């Protein structure tokens, strides 16, 4: 099967600030792809280039077989978009908003089915201006799905949610998997990327610093940590050659005749990998 | 085409749901007309017209700038700043359909208001039926298109939704006054008269008086038409250049 999204050496600067410095990835059809990174990493820039909102400086981008910069209305029939901030007609109800947007598409999904999918049954006939933040975000998702798109872009769909609202949103996004949608999701929550995505790309400073299945990420990175204490100080070594490092460490300690207190060897969790990857940026 | 009709219906529903639009741009000219019309006696004259007749032309002018310019501009700025326009760009709704539906809704609202004003004038103040009705319709369309173009153009110069109404009110209310929507410009200081002489609303109100009260045809008033048209074309060019679908970043 051909890729739903293919991005090669994508670059973009804003007045000299390099927001994207050569980003490449592929998203297969039906895959849920997570773009994970801290604020300012370039997630929105990437997604909005793929949606056709922003122009790129360099690189090639193909989304559902077309270049988003020049793609037409037929292409827009096939994509669904959740922008980083919500927006609707506040003076219309949930159902009226969905019905208005449904009219733009050739094969819209039935409104009531959508309302159920995003869990807004009780708010069906409520004016949008009186919805809570989480409910608005779910309506956003409903509007992105109204045209029954093949590919859905979700830019930070759960930012600002409380844990309960986030769990519900995860369920909804999970149910899109069963519908066979291809999804590009951005988030700065590691657990969200890990939980929802088939593959995750970690974006930092406009570059992809790791890419793979959530469990692969832990092995492709400086993944083993050796902890011990020396002179009351905690020491942490990250290494990809734990056997060798450990051997050197213990040989040295034996020769010097001291104990490696609190010695511990463990595999870094994805969380630690992510923190390590993104920590460097702040320095 | 079905999509266009669908969008037009949606826009009309949105218009009818908006209390601010309904009051400030639709009801207020009607209210002013009734209040001010009651002030004049039946023998009073303004610019050679019966006072109530003159006021009717002024209120149609006021209604025009309130609906087609102010109301339209405020709605578009709010939709741009809250991201609705951006969202629309991601859908397969053709942009020309969207713009046309918004403009047509505005023009329909203005046409209904003008009809209400004329009906009120006839019922309450003994105004006569417009003397050159076809020319009046043409005048209303010309004015509607011109002020709508200016309304779209101004959105490019407003940066935030919060201040939008304030900025637009600060433009259209003085323009309505200076253009003689509420009373004759005869007693204005000379400076204001000079300003009035370049404003399109002055010429629109004058043209409405010509076709509605005197029965002149629109093509017999080339100067009025030309000034309005020049403003309309300038507005359209600025609109094309400065209209934005997305909020300005930064
Ligand atoms: N329109 C813009 N103009 C100038 N700089 C921008 C613009 N959009 C984003 N940036 C900058 O580009 C970088 C990446 O931003 P963004 O793509 O929004 O990151 P993310 O979505 O990961 O938080 C940031 O440094 C941001 O300040
Ligand atoms: Mg972002």
């Amino acid at each position: 099967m051909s890729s739903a999204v293919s991005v090669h050496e994508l670059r973009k600067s804003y007045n000299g600030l390099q927001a994207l410095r050569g980003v490449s990835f592929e998203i297969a059809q039906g895959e849920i792809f997570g773009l994970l990174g801290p604020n300012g990493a370039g997630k929105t820039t990437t997604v909005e280039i793929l949606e056709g909102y922003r122009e790129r400086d360099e690189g090639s981008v193909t989304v559902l077989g077309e270049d988003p910069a020049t793609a037409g209305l037929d292409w827009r029939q096939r994509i669904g978009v959740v922008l980083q901030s919500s927006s609707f007609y506040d003076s219309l109800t949930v159902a009226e908003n969905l019905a208005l947007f449904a009219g733009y598409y050739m094969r819209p999904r039935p409104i009531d089915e959508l309302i159920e999918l995003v869990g807004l049954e009780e708010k069906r006939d409520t004016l949008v201006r009186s919805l809570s933040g989480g409910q608005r975000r779910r309506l956003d998702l409903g509007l992105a799905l109204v045209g029954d798109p093949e590919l859905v872009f979700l830019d930070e769909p759960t930012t600002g949610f409380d844990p309960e609202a986030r769990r519900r949103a995860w369920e909804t996004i999970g149910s899109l998997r069963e519908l066979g949608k291809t999804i590009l999701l951005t988030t700065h929550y590691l657990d969200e990327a890990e939980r929802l995505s088939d593959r995750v790309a970690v974006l930092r400073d406009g570059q992809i610093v790791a890419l793979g299945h959530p469990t692969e990420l832990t092995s492709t990175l400086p993944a083993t940590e050796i902890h011990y204490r020396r002179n009351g100080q905690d020491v942490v070594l990250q290494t990809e050659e734990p056997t060798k490092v450990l051997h050197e460490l213990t040989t040295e300690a034996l020769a010097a005749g001291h104990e490696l207190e609190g010695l511990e060897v463990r595999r870094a969790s994805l969380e630690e990998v992510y923190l390590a990857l993104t920590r460097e940026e702040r320095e | 085409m079905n999509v266009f009709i669908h969008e037009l219906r949606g826009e009309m529903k949105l218009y009818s749901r908006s209390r601010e639009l309904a009051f400030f741009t639709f009801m207020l000219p009607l209210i002013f007309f009734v209040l001010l019309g009651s002030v004049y006696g039946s023998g009073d004259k303004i610019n050679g017209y019966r006072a109530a007749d003159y006021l009717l032309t002024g209120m149609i002018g006021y209604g025009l700038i309130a609906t087609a310019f102010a109301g339209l501009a405020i709605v578009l700025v709010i939709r741009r700043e809250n991201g609705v326009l951006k969202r629309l760009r991601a859908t397969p709704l053709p942009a020309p359909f969207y713009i046309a539906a918004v403009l047509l809704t505005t023009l329909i609202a203005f046409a209904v208001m003008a009809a209400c004003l004329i009906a009120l004038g006839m019922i309450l103040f003994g105004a006569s039926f417009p003397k050159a009705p076809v020319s009046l319709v043409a005048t209303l369309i010309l004015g509607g298109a011109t002020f709508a173009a200016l309304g779209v153009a101004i959105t490019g110069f407003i940066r935030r939704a919060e201040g939008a109404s304030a900025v637009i009110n600060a433009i259209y209310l003085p323009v309505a006054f200076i253009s003689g929507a509420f009373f004759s410009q005869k007693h204005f200081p000379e400076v204001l008269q000079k300003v009035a002489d370049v404003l399109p609303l002055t010429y629109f109100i004058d043209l409405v008086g010509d076709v509605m009260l005197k029965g002149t045809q629109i093509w017999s008033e080339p100067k009025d038409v030309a000034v309005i048209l020049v403003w309309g074309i300038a507005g359209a060019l600025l609109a094309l250049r400065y209209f934005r679908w997305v909020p300005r970043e930064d």
Side-chain angles (χ1 to χ4, degrees):
Chain A
M1 242 199 283
S2 69
S3 303
V5 173
S6 145
V7 177
H8 186 68
E9 280 300 306
L10 180 61
R11 290 173 193 278
K12 166 88 181 169
S13 299
Y14 298 106
N15 316 314
L17 175 119
Q18 292 195 322
L20 298 179
R21 335 165 168 233
V23 168
S24 306
F25 59 87
E26 305 262 329
I27 305 177
Q29 281 179 25
E31 184 176 30
I32 301 188
F33 188 85
L35 202 52
L36 171 68
N39 278 331
K43 302 183 296 295
T44 298
T45 301
T46 306
V47 172
E48 293 207 352
I49 288 172
L50 300 186
E51 291 163 348
Y53 282 115
R54 304 194 194 192
E55 287 173 9
R56 59 185 187 265
D57 296 341
E58 279 174 58
S60 61
V61 173
T62 309
V63 175
L64 299 180
E66 296 195 46
D67 180 345
T70 55
L73 299 177
D74 288 342
W75 180 77
R76 300 205 175 279
Q77 293 277 355
R78 302 165 62 202
I79 64 162
V81 168
V82 169
L83 294 166
Q84 191 165 336
S85 53
S86 303
S87 53
F88 331 90
Y89 293 113
D90 280 351
S91 58
L92 300 184
T93 65
V94 167
E96 286 169 336
N97 264 285
L98 288 165
L100 182 55
F101 281 83
Y104 305 153
Y105 294 88
M106 253 133 42
R107 288 173 302 278
R109 293 181 76 84
I111 303 300
D112 285 312
E113 193 188 302
L114 278 171
I115 289 176
E116 197 188 314
L117 181 68
V118 297
L120 286 173
E121 293 97 324
E122 280 157 35
K123 300 288 169 186
R124 185 184 191 285
D125 298 312
T126 304
L127 289 184
V128 165
R129 70 163 65 92
S130 47
L131 295 185
S132 73
Q135 289 162 347
R136 290 175 69 87
R137 211 61 181 138
R138 277 185 272 145
L139 176 56
D140 248 332
L141 186 58
L143 284 173
L145 299 174
V146 77
D148 201 16
E150 290 162 48
L151 170 64
V152 187
F153 296 101
L154 306 171
D155 196 1
E156 301 206 11
T158 69
T159 296
F161 279 23
D162 59 45
E164 168 61 17
R166 173 161 306 127
R167 198 190 50 72
R168 292 193 56 171
W170 287 356
E171 278 171 20
T172 308
I173 296 167
S175 61
L176 299 184
R177 181 193 299 276
E178 282 137 45
L179 297 173
K181 307 292 181 199
T182 307
I183 298 176
L184 171 51
L185 161 96
T186 85
T187 179
H188 60 241
Y189 300 114
L190 173 86
D191 51 349
E192 181 161 295
E194 192 175 12
R195 165 82 178 258
L196 295 175
S197 319
D198 298 319
R199 281 187 313 141
V200 177
V202 180
L203 195 63
R204 194 197 74 201
D205 249 348
Q207 280 177 310
I208 290 183
V209 289
L211 195 156
H213 188 275
T215 57
E216 279 166 28
L217 284 185
T218 54
S219 56
T220 57
L221 290 159
T224 305
E225 290 188 347
I226 301 170
H227 296 244
Y228 61 96
R229 263 191 309 281
R230 173 173 278 177
N231 307 330
Q233 296 261 329
D234 283 323
V235 181
V236 182
L237 297 174
Q238 287 186 334
T239 176
E240 283 160 82
E241 297 172 303
T243 318
K244 179 162 166 275
V245 173
L246 202 58
H247 180 73
E248 285 166 5
L249 207 59
T250 48
T251 311
E252 196 192 326
L254 273 177
H258 63 238
E259 187 56 49
L260 290 170
E261 284 168 54
L263 178 64
E264 205 180 328
V265 180
R266 61 189 163 92
R267 197 57 173 275
S269 69
L270 183 53
E271 171 119 36
E272 285 162 327
V273 169
Y274 176 62
L275 284 176
L277 283 169
T278 53
R279 192 182 302 125
E280 286 165 46
E281 180 198 40
R282 285 177 219 123
E283 278 157 14
Chain B
M1 210 51 198
N2 286 337
V3 177
F4 176 70
I5 301 291
H6 172 83
E7 180 59 17
L8 184 61
R9 285 225 188 99
E11 284 301 325
M12 306 251 256
K13 183 187 269 180
L14 284 164
Y15 195 94
S16 67
R17 289 277 172 92
S18 166
R19 266 171 261 143
E20 300 88 272
L21 283 182
F23 183 72
F24 284 104
T25 74
F26 196 88
M27 290 307 292
L28 216 48
L30 299 175
I31 293 170
F32 276 140
F33 182 43
V34 173
L35 292 180
L36 295 173
S38 322
V39 173
Y40 295 109
S42 55
D44 292 343
K45 294 254 173 191
I46 303 177
N47 286 6
Y49 295 128
R50 282 178 56 236
D53 286 345
Y54 178 82
L55 194 59
L56 176 54
T57 65
M59 286 301 109
I60 292 178
Y62 171 59
L64 171 67
I65 196 167
T67 333
F69 176 78
L72 176 64
I74 291 171
V75 165
L76 286 178
V77 169
I78 290 174
R79 288 189 190 170
R80 181 187 69 207
E81 294 302 312
N82 74 13
V84 166
L85 295 187
K86 182 169 182 176
R87 179 192 281 283
L88 282 169
R89 292 301 275 160
T91 73
L93 176 67
F97 281 15
Y98 177 71
I99 301 289
V102 172
L103 295 184
L104 197 54
T105 302
T106 302
L107 293 186
I108 290 170
F110 171 55
V112 172
M113 186 181 53
C116 290
L117 282 168
I118 292 167
L120 276 179
M122 290 167 65
I123 294 164
L124 298 179
F125 305 120
S128 54
F129 190 78
K131 293 214 172 95
V134 176
S135 280
L136 179 62
V137 170
T139 302
L140 298 184
I141 292 173
L142 173 67
T146 292
F147 280 87
L150 292 167
V152 177
I154 191 82
T155 62
F157 300 91
I158 297 172
R159 303 186 62 142
R160 260 175 280 280
E162 289 79 59
S165 316
V167 173
I168 289 163
N169 290 344
I171 296 171
Y172 93 92
L173 288 172
V175 168
F177 273 99
I178 296 169
S179 306
F182 295 89
F183 19 71
S184 164
Q185 296 146 308
K186 277 225 181 88
H187 309 293
F188 282 2
E190 210 173 316
V191 209
L192 280 191
Q193 294 200 14
K194 288 233 166 68
V195 176
D197 278 348
V198 296
L199 293 176
L201 196 59
T202 302
Y203 295 86
F204 176 79
I205 292 172
D206 189 57
L207 187 58
V208 171
D210 291 335
V211 301
M212 196 165 75
L213 305 176
K214 287 188 192 154
T216 322
Q217 298 297 348
I218 187 169
W219 51 86
S220 314
E221 303 290 341
K223 186 181 175 205
D224 290 342
V225 173
V227 175
I228 298 169
L229 214 51
V230 166
W231 275 92
I233 291 168
L237 292 176
L238 287 173
L240 286 173
R241 173 75 182 74
Y242 291 107
F243 177 75
R244 282 178 283 125
W245 292 93
V246 297
R248 194 141 54 185
E249 316 276 340
D250 69 20

